[in-house]
């Protein structure tokens, strides 16, 4: 079953589970405490926003399962190129609070300036959030640079603010509305990018030997064949899985010298529910460092549109 459904859990259980994981990581890696404190602030805002969206109504999308199945069969993620009405007034307060949390957590004025730009109307929140939702990184980064803002931070706050919405869409379209036809198209999905939104995975979580890719944006979970590079399909000698720390064989990195890509894989007791995947990501930042020191990188987002620039 390559596409994996993760049961929804209550806000309280999510927060408790996150807290347990943060404490365990902090005990083990005191150097990560400031990063964990910032992540606690950011993810709490994301969890609260997800709870608000849960109580509201998602947009009605006329995307029949048969149409989505045909897209998937062509290798196109279901949300790519679809107009999706964003609940901008619901997301904007969280967007501003995320800037505050980042400012207090170490980003300082770089994050405060983003908040000011949104509040003054210099950045229009609807276009910012839409650029993130449609994965239009080029437009978003250019817009940020033109305003003298940090492109990385603007991308981050927009992504965090939109993530509960895109996660809800992913569940709506792929989990709850799954017809047999859609289900088999999903189960035939062997690409390394997300079948819902097209983003690359943040990490692969391995449970009971099943290597499951976890989307860095919408948190979807899918299991392509494990013996090949998720970016280029290389399965020969150029594709290697290694554990940089011999004492921690539960944390590995897959590297591919054909395309230069890398993927972190980590053994976990269970797949992280949205948005706790970021905890697996932050817990393995040393793997990113090790891979990048050897010249590997995560590829740019794939573009499924015909947009220019
Ligand atoms: Zn996704
Ligand atoms: Zn590759």
């Amino acid at each position: 079953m390559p596409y994996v459904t993760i049961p929804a859990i209550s806000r309280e259980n999510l927060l408790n589970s996150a807290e347990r994981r943060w404490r365990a990581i902090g005990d083990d890696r005191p150097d990560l405490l400031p990063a964990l404190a910032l992540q606690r602030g950011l993810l709490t805002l994301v969890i609260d926003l997800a709870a608000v969206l849960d109580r509201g109504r998602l947009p009605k999308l006329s995307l029949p399962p048969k149409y989505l199945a045909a897209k998937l069969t062509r290798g196109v993620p279901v949300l790519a190129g679809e107009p999706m009405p964003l609940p901008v007034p619901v997301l904007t307060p969280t967007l501003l609070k995320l800037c505050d949390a980042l400012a207090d957590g170490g980003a300082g004025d770089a994050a405060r300036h983003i908040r000011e730009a949104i509040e003054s109307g210099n950045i229009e929140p609807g276009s910012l959030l839409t650029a993130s939702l449609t994965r239009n990184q080029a437009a978003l980064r250019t817009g940020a640079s033109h305003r003298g803002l940090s492109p990385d931070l603007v991308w981050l706050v927009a992504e965090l603010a939109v993530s509960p919405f895109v996660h809800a869409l992913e569940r709506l379209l792929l989990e709850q509305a799954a017809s047999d036809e859609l289900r088999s198209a999903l189960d035939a999905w062997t690409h390394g990018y997300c079948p819902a939104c097209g983003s690359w995975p943040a990490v692969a979580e391995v449970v009971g030997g099943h290597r499951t890719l976890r989307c860095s944006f919408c948190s979807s979970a899918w299991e392509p064949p494990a013996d090949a590079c998720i970016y280029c399909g290389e399965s020969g000698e150029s594709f290697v899985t290694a554990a940089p720390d011999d004492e921690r064989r539960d944390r590995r990195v897959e590297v591919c010298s054909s395309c230069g890509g890398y993927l972190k894989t980590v053994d976990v007791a269970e797949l992280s529910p949205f948005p706790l995947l970021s905890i697996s990501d932050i817990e393995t930042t040393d793997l990113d460092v090790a891979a990048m020191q050897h010249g590997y990188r995560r590829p740019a987002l794939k573009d499924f549109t015909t947009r220019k620039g």
Side-chain angles (χ1 to χ4, degrees), residues 159-275:
E159 187 164 68
L160 285 168
V162 177
S163 63
F165 178 71
V166 75
H167 173 65
L169 285 181
E170 183 259 335
R171 291 181 73 92
L172 177 75
L173 292 176
L174 298 189
E175 293 184 7
Q176 296 169 16
S179 67
D180 285 351
E181 200 173 7
L182 181 53
R183 184 80 218 180
S184 46
L186 272 175
D187 285 346
W189 185 265
T190 54
H191 302 284
Y193 50 88
C194 171
C197 74
S199 305
W200 293 115
V203 60
E205 292 187 319
V206 183
V207 181
H210 287 270
R211 161 186 172 268
T212 306
L213 302 185
R214 299 302 312 280
C215 177
S216 56
F217 188 33
C218 75
S219 278
S220 73
W222 74 106
E223 193 185 339
D227 54 359
C229 170
I230 62 155
Y231 305 113
C232 75
E234 172 67 53
S235 58
E237 285 176 4
S238 314
F239 175 70
V240 176
T241 302
D245 180 349
D246 244 357
E247 313 249 295
R248 294 292 307 269
R249 309 288 302 173
D250 56 325
R251 305 158 83 254
R252 301 168 298 277
V253 60
E254 297 177 3
V255 296
C256 171
S257 52
S258 288
C259 69
Y262 77 90
L263 172 72
K264 304 184 286 185
T265 76
V266 54
D267 291 349
V268 288
E270 56 184 25
L271 296 176
S272 304
F274 175 83

Side-chain angles (χ1 to χ4, degrees), residues 34 38 41 65 76 78 80 113 127 147 151 169-170 186 222 234 263 288:
L38 172 58
V76 181
V78 293
H113 291 156
S127 4
R147 292 170 176 84
L169 285 181
E170 183 259 335
L186 272 175
W222 74 106
E234 172 67 53
L263 172 72
D288 292 290

Side-chain angles (χ1 to χ4, degrees), residues 9 25 33 56 106 118 172 187 306:
I9 65 173
I25 299 167
L33 284 172
I118 297 167
L172 177 75
D187 285 346
T306 51

Side-chain angles (χ1 to χ4, degrees), residues 19 22-23 25-43 100-108 156 278 282-283 285:
E19 206 51 57
W22 281 318
R23 263 194 233 122
I25 299 167
D27 287 348
D28 198 34
R29 296 276 311 275
D31 57 308
L32 285 179
L33 284 172
L36 294 172
L38 172 58
Q39 188 177 59
R40 182 183 281 116
L42 298 173
L43 286 200
D100 292 339
L102 276 166
D104 297 342
L156 176 65
S278 331
I282 204 169
E283 199 267 329
T285 42

